[in-house]
Amino acid sequence: MLQLNYQSLVAAPNIRPLPIGRRVVLDLLAMYGEPAVTARLFYDIDMTWANKLTESFAAKDIRVTPTALLIKAISMAQIEHPISRSVLIPGERLFTFDNITGGFTVEKFVDNDPIVLFGEIATPHERSVVDITKELKEYHDAEIDSIPYLKQQYDFAHLPFFIRRTIMWLGTVFPSFRLRYVRSTFGLTSLGSLGTTVVSAPPVSTSVFGIGAIENRMVQDGEEQLVKPMMTVSLNFDHRVMDGGQAARFFLDVKKLMEEGWDEAV
């Protein structure tokens, strides 16, 4: 008969406490992600216009990223789709955020442990893609202590479990309280630089997008088959707030903006 040494299991050397920085993601998933009823949509986006725009900026030695373009396109689409920036609060009520804010994941290393924090860009629909790209780079390059919003999250992670979860719970009940800590009206995760073609991120906001790598693919264009730069984008949404049709119309507007473009000074 197999006998287990429970004492040796408890004291196993490969068991260690969860890194403090990981608590930020864990809290968001527990308080906002787990209650959500997740549904997913996927669209392949033709990046021809986006590539031409980034090349036009590059000719002037100005860097613009696909992530910056997508953040702006999503924020513009949220103007016309307020349900996409709404959250469910107790009493079967919906609260719609007035101020559009783009949220995105930021990976940092603390004591050689990778941690995920969250950056925010306010009113991206009113910003140039050059400014958005610069702010994304700032979040990526800067130390945690030099960006107040990242430092706030890291300091928050050091609070005792009960205090952290109480604060997060208050945010689910009182939207004004949530806005003090989490202001984003949509979330975005990009792993395309690591070669991932499809990303499906958990809905810690009502609308969360995942960006894959841009690939040259054979596509049907009318009666022709053409090779085009394509990017698969996912939308994970909270089905308690949006139904499939609402989410698809919102997503299609994002796709249309990315493929047909908008006026952007070069």
Side-chain angles (χ1 to χ4, degrees):
M1 181 181 294
L2 179 64
Q3 292 184 342
L4 293 176
N5 186 335
Y6 291 103
Q7 187 173 1
S8 65
L9 287 175
V10 172
N14 60 342
I15 296 176
R16 63 190 180 103
L18 184 76
I20 287 176
R22 190 67 189 162
R23 294 175 182 174
V24 177
V25 172
L26 197 64
D27 289 339
L28 281 172
L29 289 175
M31 300 306 295
Y32 297 125
E34 287 181 9
V37 177
T38 306
R40 299 172 178 84
L41 297 175
F42 298 87
Y43 278 117
D44 290 329
I45 293 179
D46 181 352
M47 296 293 287
T48 301
W49 175 83
N51 282 357
K52 286 180 180 177
L53 184 67
T54 56
E55 288 166 6
S56 298
F57 277 109
K60 297 186 176 183
D61 203 25
I62 300 172
R63 184 169 180 262
V64 165
T65 63
T67 300
L69 290 167
L70 195 54
I71 285 175
K72 183 161 183 175
I74 295 168
S75 64
M76 288 192 288
Q78 280 206 318
I79 296 172
E80 302 300 325
H81 299 271
I83 191 65
S84 71
R85 49 186 162 90
S86 301
V87 294
L88 187 67
I89 59 175
E92 297 185 330
R93 295 172 298 160
L94 290 175
F95 176 84
T96 300
F97 294 97
D98 291 327
N99 298 317
I100 295 173
T101 299
F104 51 92
T105 53
V106 181
E107 186 181 49
K108 296 290 183 184
F109 286 83
V110 176
D111 297 329
N112 295 322
D113 279 319
I115 67 171
V116 175
L117 300 172
F118 299 88
E120 290 186 345
I121 295 179
T123 60
H125 54 291
E126 298 175 357
R127 310 273 297 278
S128 72
V129 290
V130 174
D131 285 344
I132 295 172
T133 299
K134 286 179 180 177
E135 195 160 344
L136 287 169
K137 189 174 188 305
E138 244 179 65
Y139 270 102
H140 181 269
D141 294 343
E143 297 295 328
I144 291 174
D145 287 349
S146 66
I147 298 182
Y149 188 57
L150 294 186
K151 187 176 186 307
Q152 180 191 57
Q153 293 172 61
Y154 194 62
D155 289 345
F156 181 82
H158 285 76
L159 294 174
F161 176 87
F162 177 74
I163 294 176
R164 296 196 329 266
R165 292 299 171 92
T166 300
I167 291 172
M168 297 291 284
W169 175 80
L170 286 170
T172 66
V173 178
F174 305 106
S176 59
F177 193 83
R178 172 176 171 167
L179 285 170
R180 294 177 59 183
Y181 300 97
V182 182
R183 294 170 286 272
S184 57
T185 56
F186 67 88
L188 184 145
T189 295
S190 176
L191 294 177
S193 62
L194 298 177
T196 302
T197 55
V198 180
V199 182
S200 183
V204 293
S205 299
T206 294
S207 306
V208 174
F209 290 82
I211 309 175
I214 300 174
E215 300 179 304
N216 287 326
R217 302 177 194 164
M218 187 74 73
V219 296
Q220 194 73 30
D221 188 354
E223 296 183 357
E224 294 183 284
Q225 284 192 329
L226 303 174
V227 175
K228 291 187 176 185
M230 304 296 293
M231 181 172 70
T232 300
V233 178
S234 68
L235 168 60
N236 280 14
F237 63 96
D238 189 346
H239 216 317
R240 300 174 306 165
V241 178
M242 283 196 292
D243 64 32
Q246 290 172 312
R249 285 188 287 272
F250 165 51
F251 201 173
L252 281 171
D253 277 356
V254 174
K255 175 178 163 69
K256 183 177 180 181
L257 284 164
M258 289 294 292
E259 293 184 340
E260 298 181 10
W262 59 86
D263 292 332
E264 187 79 41
V266 178

